[in-house]
Amino acid sequence: MTEKVIKTDAEWRAMLDDEQYDVTRHAATEAPYSGRYWDHHEHGIYTCVCCNTPLFASDTKFDSGCGWPSYFTPLNPENVKEVVDRGYGMIRTEVICNVCDAHLGHVFNDGPPPTGLRYCINSASLRFDATPDLTEGTSK
């Protein structure tokens, strides 16, 4: 795994816009169908907005109909960690960047084959790197 990225709250605030900061550092959620990547179909890699860790490949992205970018598997499972989230009267599995502890979204067991998982990720927690040589097609 990559070395942990640790910054002060002031450093995170200085490098992120308000929505990115609220989502990644305070586990907020952007409104459905509002993020820049929910209907994004370019070939490439989605990285963490806080530390640029590669998280998801475009060929694992699919249209789940939920209004957030959805992927059926992370690019490298070591780059994400999953923790129990008991907020808002629910029990869910939160997805966090394993390098900088940024909140990314949640994972659910209602995704497509081959994993059956749906990583429901906030666009505000992602950057996109168009690298067509690293991926082959997209699942939509």
Side-chain angles (χ1 to χ4, degrees):
M1 185 181 95
T2 305
E3 188 174 322
K4 273 294 212 198
V5 172
I6 300 170
K7 297 183 183 231
T8 66
D9 188 62
E11 289 172 316
W12 289 125
R13 278 192 179 277
M15 69 174 280
L16 302 168
D17 69 30
D18 289 343
E19 184 176 42
Q20 291 169 332
Y21 175 80
D22 289 341
V23 167
T24 62
R25 307 325 306 173
H26 294 287
T29 300
E30 66 197 13
Y33 304 101
S34 69
R36 68 188 302 185
Y37 298 124
W38 78 269
D39 192 28
H40 185 255
H41 304 289
E42 289 182 55
H43 302 278
I45 303 296
Y46 295 88
T47 66
C48 178
V49 72
C50 294
C51 67
N52 269 344
T53 297
L55 298 171
F56 301 96
S58 61
D59 62 352
T60 66
K61 190 172 188 289
F62 67 99
D63 182 2
S64 66
C66 70
W68 289 277
S70 298
Y71 310 86
F72 59 79
T73 192
L75 189 63
N76 179 346
E78 291 183 14
N79 290 346
V80 299
K81 66 181 169 183
E82 298 175 9
V83 297
V84 174
D85 174 1
R86 297 183 192 283
Y88 302 102
M90 299 179 265
I91 298 176
R92 302 179 289 178
T93 303
E94 181 181 12
V95 179
I96 297 172
C97 176
N98 206 25
V99 175
C100 70
D101 295 328
H103 169 78
L104 304 173
H106 292 86
V107 62
F108 302 95
N109 291 319
D110 60 1
T115 65
L117 298 174
R118 173 174 54 100
Y119 286 83
C120 184
I121 306 298
N122 291 283
S123 290
S125 67
L126 300 173
R127 274 200 187 100
F128 181 73
D129 180 15
T131 51
D133 58 323
L134 296 179
T135 61
E136 294 290 327
T138 57
S139 300
K140 298 177 190 157

CSV table of all heavy atoms in Angstrom, one decimal, residues 56 74 80-83 93-97 102-108 118-121:
chain,number,residue,atom,x,y,z
A,56,PHE,N,-11.1,3.5,-9.2
A,56,PHE,CA,-12.0,2.7,-10.1
A,56,PHE,C,-11.6,2.9,-11.6
A,56,PHE,O,-11.2,4.0,-11.9
A,56,PHE,CB,-13.4,3.2,-9.9
A,56,PHE,CG,-13.9,3.0,-8.4
A,56,PHE,CD1,-13.9,4.0,-7.5
A,56,PHE,CD2,-14.3,1.7,-8.0
A,56,PHE,CE1,-14.3,3.8,-6.2
A,56,PHE,CE2,-14.7,1.6,-6.7
A,56,PHE,CZ,-14.7,2.6,-5.8
A,74,PRO,N,-13.5,-2.2,-7.1
A,74,PRO,CA,-12.4,-1.2,-7.1
A,74,PRO,C,-11.2,-1.6,-8.0
A,74,PRO,O,-11.1,-2.8,-8.3
A,74,PRO,CB,-11.9,-1.1,-5.7
A,74,PRO,CG,-12.6,-2.2,-5.0
A,74,PRO,CD,-13.6,-2.9,-5.9
A,80,VAL,N,-9.0,0.8,-1.1
A,80,VAL,CA,-10.2,1.2,-0.4
A,80,VAL,C,-10.4,0.4,0.8
A,80,VAL,O,-10.0,-0.8,0.9
A,80,VAL,CB,-11.5,1.1,-1.3
A,80,VAL,CG1,-11.4,2.0,-2.5
A,80,VAL,CG2,-11.7,-0.3,-1.8
A,81,LYS,N,-11.1,1.0,1.8
A,81,LYS,CA,-11.4,0.2,3.0
A,81,LYS,C,-12.9,0.3,3.2
A,81,LYS,O,-13.5,1.3,2.8
A,81,LYS,CB,-10.6,0.5,4.2
A,81,LYS,CG,-10.8,1.9,4.8
A,81,LYS,CD,-9.9,2.1,6.0
A,81,LYS,CE,-9.9,3.5,6.4
A,81,LYS,NZ,-9.0,3.7,7.6
A,82,GLU,N,-13.5,-0.7,3.8
A,82,GLU,CA,-15.0,-0.7,4.0
A,82,GLU,C,-15.2,-0.7,5.5
A,82,GLU,O,-14.6,-1.5,6.2
A,82,GLU,CB,-15.6,-1.9,3.3
A,82,GLU,CG,-15.4,-1.8,1.8
A,82,GLU,CD,-15.9,-3.0,1.1
A,82,GLU,OE1,-16.6,-3.9,1.7
A,82,GLU,OE2,-15.7,-3.1,-0.1
A,83,VAL,N,-16.0,0.2,6.0
A,83,VAL,CA,-16.4,0.2,7.5
A,83,VAL,C,-17.9,0.3,7.6
A,83,VAL,O,-18.6,0.8,6.8
A,83,VAL,CB,-15.7,1.4,8.2
A,83,VAL,CG1,-14.2,1.3,8.1
A,83,VAL,CG2,-16.1,2.7,7.6
A,93,THR,N,-22.4,0.0,4.5
A,93,THR,CA,-21.0,-0.2,4.4
A,93,THR,C,-20.4,1.0,3.7
A,93,THR,O,-20.6,1.2,2.5
A,93,THR,CB,-20.6,-1.5,3.7
A,93,THR,OG1,-21.2,-2.6,4.4
A,93,THR,CG2,-19.1,-1.7,3.7
A,94,GLU,N,-19.7,1.8,4.5
A,94,GLU,CA,-19.0,3.0,4.0
A,94,GLU,C,-17.7,2.6,3.2
A,94,GLU,O,-17.0,1.7,3.7
A,94,GLU,CB,-18.7,4.0,5.1
A,94,GLU,CG,-18.0,5.3,4.7
A,94,GLU,CD,-17.7,6.2,5.8
A,94,GLU,OE1,-17.8,5.8,7.0
A,94,GLU,OE2,-17.3,7.4,5.6
A,95,VAL,N,-17.4,3.3,2.1
A,95,VAL,CA,-16.2,3.1,1.4
A,95,VAL,C,-15.3,4.3,1.6
A,95,VAL,O,-15.7,5.5,1.4
A,95,VAL,CB,-16.5,2.9,-0.1
A,95,VAL,CG1,-15.2,2.7,-0.9
A,95,VAL,CG2,-17.5,1.8,-0.3
A,96,ILE,N,-14.1,4.1,2.0
A,96,ILE,CA,-13.1,5.1,2.3
A,96,ILE,C,-11.8,4.9,1.6
A,96,ILE,O,-11.4,3.7,1.4
A,96,ILE,CB,-12.8,5.1,3.9
A,96,ILE,CG1,-14.1,5.4,4.6
A,96,ILE,CG2,-11.7,6.1,4.3
A,96,ILE,CD1,-14.0,5.2,6.1
A,97,CYS,N,-11.2,5.9,1.1
A,97,CYS,CA,-9.8,5.8,0.5
A,97,CYS,C,-8.9,5.3,1.6
A,97,CYS,O,-8.8,5.9,2.7
A,97,CYS,CB,-9.4,7.2,0.0
A,97,CYS,SG,-7.7,7.1,-0.7
A,102,ALA,N,-10.4,9.6,3.0
A,102,ALA,CA,-11.5,10.3,2.4
A,102,ALA,C,-12.7,9.5,2.3
A,102,ALA,O,-12.7,8.3,1.8
A,102,ALA,CB,-11.1,10.9,1.0
A,103,HIS,N,-13.9,10.0,2.7
A,103,HIS,CA,-15.1,9.3,2.5
A,103,HIS,C,-15.4,9.3,1.0
A,103,HIS,O,-15.3,10.4,0.3
A,103,HIS,CB,-16.3,10.1,3.2
A,103,HIS,CG,-17.6,9.6,2.8
A,103,HIS,ND1,-18.2,8.4,3.3
A,103,HIS,CD2,-18.6,10.1,2.0
A,103,HIS,CE1,-19.4,8.3,2.8
A,103,HIS,NE2,-19.6,9.3,2.0
A,104,LEU,N,-15.7,8.2,0.4
A,104,LEU,CA,-16.0,8.1,-1.0
A,104,LEU,C,-17.5,7.8,-1.3
A,104,LEU,O,-18.1,8.4,-2.2
A,104,LEU,CB,-15.2,6.9,-1.6
A,104,LEU,CG,-13.7,7.0,-1.4
A,104,LEU,CD1,-13.0,5.7,-1.9
A,104,LEU,CD2,-13.1,8.2,-2.2
A,105,GLY,N,-18.1,7.0,-0.5
A,105,GLY,CA,-19.5,6.6,-0.7
A,105,GLY,C,-19.8,5.4,0.1
A,105,GLY,O,-19.3,5.2,1.2
A,106,HIS,N,-20.7,4.5,-0.5
A,106,HIS,CA,-21.1,3.3,0.2
A,106,HIS,C,-21.1,2.1,-0.9
A,106,HIS,O,-21.2,2.4,-2.1
A,106,HIS,CB,-22.5,3.4,0.8
A,106,HIS,CG,-22.5,4.4,1.9
A,106,HIS,ND1,-22.7,5.7,1.7
A,106,HIS,CD2,-22.3,4.1,3.2
A,106,HIS,CE1,-22.6,6.3,2.9
A,106,HIS,NE2,-22.4,5.4,3.9
A,107,VAL,N,-21.0,0.9,-0.4
A,107,VAL,CA,-21.1,-0.3,-1.2
A,107,VAL,C,-22.3,-1.1,-0.8
A,107,VAL,O,-22.6,-1.2,0.4
A,107,VAL,CB,-19.8,-1.1,-1.2
A,107,VAL,CG1,-19.5,-1.7,0.2
A,107,VAL,CG2,-19.8,-2.2,-2.2
A,108,PHE,N,-23.0,-1.6,-1.8
A,108,PHE,CA,-24.2,-2.3,-1.6
A,108,PHE,C,-24.2,-3.7,-2.4
A,108,PHE,O,-23.4,-3.8,-3.3
A,108,PHE,CB,-25.4,-1.5,-2.1
A,108,PHE,CG,-25.6,-0.2,-1.5
A,108,PHE,CD1,-25.1,0.9,-2.0
A,108,PHE,CD2,-26.2,-0.1,-0.2
A,108,PHE,CE1,-25.2,2.2,-1.4
A,108,PHE,CE2,-26.3,1.1,0.4
A,108,PHE,CZ,-25.8,2.3,-0.2
A,118,ARG,N,-22.3,-2.9,-5.8
A,118,ARG,CA,-22.4,-1.6,-6.4
A,118,ARG,C,-21.7,-0.6,-5.5
A,118,ARG,O,-22.2,-0.3,-4.4
A,118,ARG,CB,-23.9,-1.2,-6.5
A,118,ARG,CG,-24.1,0.2,-6.9
A,118,ARG,CD,-25.6,0.5,-7.1
A,118,ARG,NE,-26.5,0.2,-6.0
A,118,ARG,CZ,-26.9,1.1,-5.1
A,118,ARG,NH1,-26.6,2.4,-5.2
A,118,ARG,NH2,-27.7,0.7,-4.1
A,119,TYR,N,-20.6,-0.2,-5.9
A,119,TYR,CA,-19.8,0.9,-5.2
A,119,TYR,C,-20.4,2.2,-5.6
A,119,TYR,O,-20.2,2.6,-6.8
A,119,TYR,CB,-18.3,0.8,-5.5
A,119,TYR,CG,-17.6,-0.3,-4.8
A,119,TYR,CD1,-17.6,-1.6,-5.4
A,119,TYR,CD2,-17.0,-0.1,-3.6
A,119,TYR,CE1,-17.0,-2.7,-4.7
A,119,TYR,CE2,-16.3,-1.2,-3.0
A,119,TYR,CZ,-16.4,-2.4,-3.5
A,119,TYR,OH,-15.7,-3.5,-2.9
A,120,CYS,N,-21.3,2.8,-4.8
A,120,CYS,CA,-22.0,4.0,-5.1
A,120,CYS,C,-21.1,5.2,-4.5
A,120,CYS,O,-21.1,5.4,-3.3
A,120,CYS,CB,-23.4,3.9,-4.4
A,120,CYS,SG,-24.4,5.3,-4.7
A,121,ILE,N,-20.5,5.9,-5.4
A,121,ILE,CA,-19.4,6.8,-5.1
A,121,ILE,C,-19.8,8.3,-5.4
A,121,ILE,O,-20.4,8.5,-6.5
A,121,ILE,CB,-18.1,6.4,-5.8
A,121,ILE,CG1,-17.8,5.0,-5.5
A,121,ILE,CG2,-17.0,7.4,-5.4
A,121,ILE,CD1,-17.5,4.6,-4.1
